[in-house]
Amino acid sequence: MAELAGLEDPKIRAVSEKHGDDHGVNLGRLRALAKRLKTQQELAGRLWETDDTAARLLAILICRPKAFGRQELDVMLREARVPKVHDWLVNYVVKKSPHSEELRLAWSADPDPVVASAGWALTTERVAKKPEGLDLAGLLDVIEAEMKDAPDRLRWAMNHCLAQIGIERAEHRARAIDIGERLEVLKDYPTSPGCTSPFAPIWITEMVRRQHDK
C-alpha cells in the first residue's frame, strides 16, 4: 500500500476524476509492479478488501481469474462502482472465468444498470468470439427499445453491442446501422483526431471498411 501511495500523481488523478475514477496511479507503472509481483491470489484478495481503487486494480492484475467462484465474482462486481475497476474486473477476470456465461445471463437481467452493463459487455464479447446460440435479432429488439433512455454506463455497453453486431454480422448490419441512426446515441460525442467515433453507424462503417482493406 505504501508503494502504491508512492505512485500517486496529482495530474493523473485530475484526468481520472473526469472519467469518474478516483485514483492517481500511472497504469504503466502499476502494470510494472504487477509484473514484479507475478500471480498471487491470496495477496490479490487482501488488496481487494482494502476498497482502495489502485489496490483493486493491482489485485485484478495479479489474481488467478479461474480461482474465483461465481458468487464471489458477483459480489466483487457489485462492489466495483469505480468505472476502471469495473471494466478491468469484467475484461481481465470475468471473461476468463468458467462462470462467465452464467454471469452474463444473470447480470444482463439485473435491475442495477451498472451490473447490467457488465452483462452487456460479456454479450458483446460473445458476439465477437462465440455468437452461436445468441438471438441477435432479439438483442437488437432490446437495444432498439431500451438504449436511448438507459443510464449512461448501460447505454455505452448496449451501444458497443449494437456496433459489434453490425461489424461482425453482415445479415444484421443494415438494421444495426438503422437503429443507430434513429436513436442517435453518442452521435455528437467528441472524438479525438485519428480515433473512431462511438456513434454506431460511423463505427460499424469504419470497422467494416478496415476489414475489407486487409
Side-chain angles (χ1 to χ4, degrees):
M1 293 304 292
E3 192 165 350
L4 283 172
L7 296 178
E8 178 75 19
D9 182 328
K11 290 180 182 174
I12 292 175
R13 179 172 286 276
V15 173
S16 295
E17 286 178 348
K18 288 180 182 175
H19 299 103
D21 293 317
D22 60 351
H23 75 89
V25 177
N26 178 298
L27 297 178
R29 293 175 73 186
L30 189 75
R31 290 180 189 279
L33 175 56
K35 197 171 182 180
R36 196 184 83 219
L37 291 170
K38 299 189 169 69
T39 302
Q40 295 193 47
Q41 183 69 8
E42 185 187 347
L43 176 58
R46 284 159 58 202
L47 287 167
W48 185 270
E49 287 167 8
T50 65
D51 198 22
D52 175 81
T53 294
R56 284 188 163 181
L57 292 173
L58 181 59
I60 289 166
L61 294 175
I62 66 169
C63 75
R64 190 177 293 109
K66 292 179 180 176
F68 295 105
R70 180 191 183 283
Q71 185 61 31
E72 202 173 2
L73 289 172
D74 185 72
V75 170
M76 289 169 73
L77 185 89
R78 292 174 194 280
E79 291 173 347
R81 307 308 286 186
V82 175
K84 183 69 73 178
V85 175
H86 174 101
D87 291 344
W88 278 25
L89 182 65
V90 172
N91 286 300
Y92 297 165
V93 181
V94 181
K95 284 181 181 178
K96 298 175 182 176
S97 165
H99 308 292
S100 62
E101 180 60 13
E102 281 180 77
L103 291 169
R104 181 185 78 82
L105 293 169
W107 289 343
S108 295
D110 200 276
D112 182 331
V114 176
V115 175
S117 74
W120 279 93
L122 294 171
T123 299
T124 301
E125 174 88 349
R126 267 205 63 185
V127 170
K129 296 186 175 176
K130 196 181 175 185
E132 299 79 15
L134 282 179
D135 177 7
L136 297 176
L139 288 172
L140 290 174
D141 289 344
V142 175
I143 291 167
E144 187 170 18
E146 300 178 13
M147 180 172 73
K148 191 171 183 69
D149 298 319
D152 188 50
R153 282 163 70 181
L154 179 55
R155 188 168 65 242
W156 271 93
M158 284 182 153
N159 183 71
H160 190 177
C161 191
L162 173 66
Q164 201 71 51
I165 292 171
I167 292 162
E168 301 287 343
R169 311 299 295 187
E171 69 273 25
H172 294 289
R173 189 168 297 146
R175 185 182 174 201
I177 290 172
D178 177 63
I179 290 170
E181 286 174 342
R182 281 187 289 105
L183 299 186
E184 298 188 337
V185 169
L186 301 174
K187 184 176 183 180
D188 300 319
Y189 190 81
T191 306
S192 303
C195 295
T196 303
S197 169
F199 179 48
I202 294 175
W203 190 354
I204 293 166
T205 304
E206 173 60 18
M207 297 310 291
V208 170
R209 183 191 67 75
R210 289 184 195 178
Q211 288 172 358
H212 286 166
D213 287 350
K214 282 183 180 177

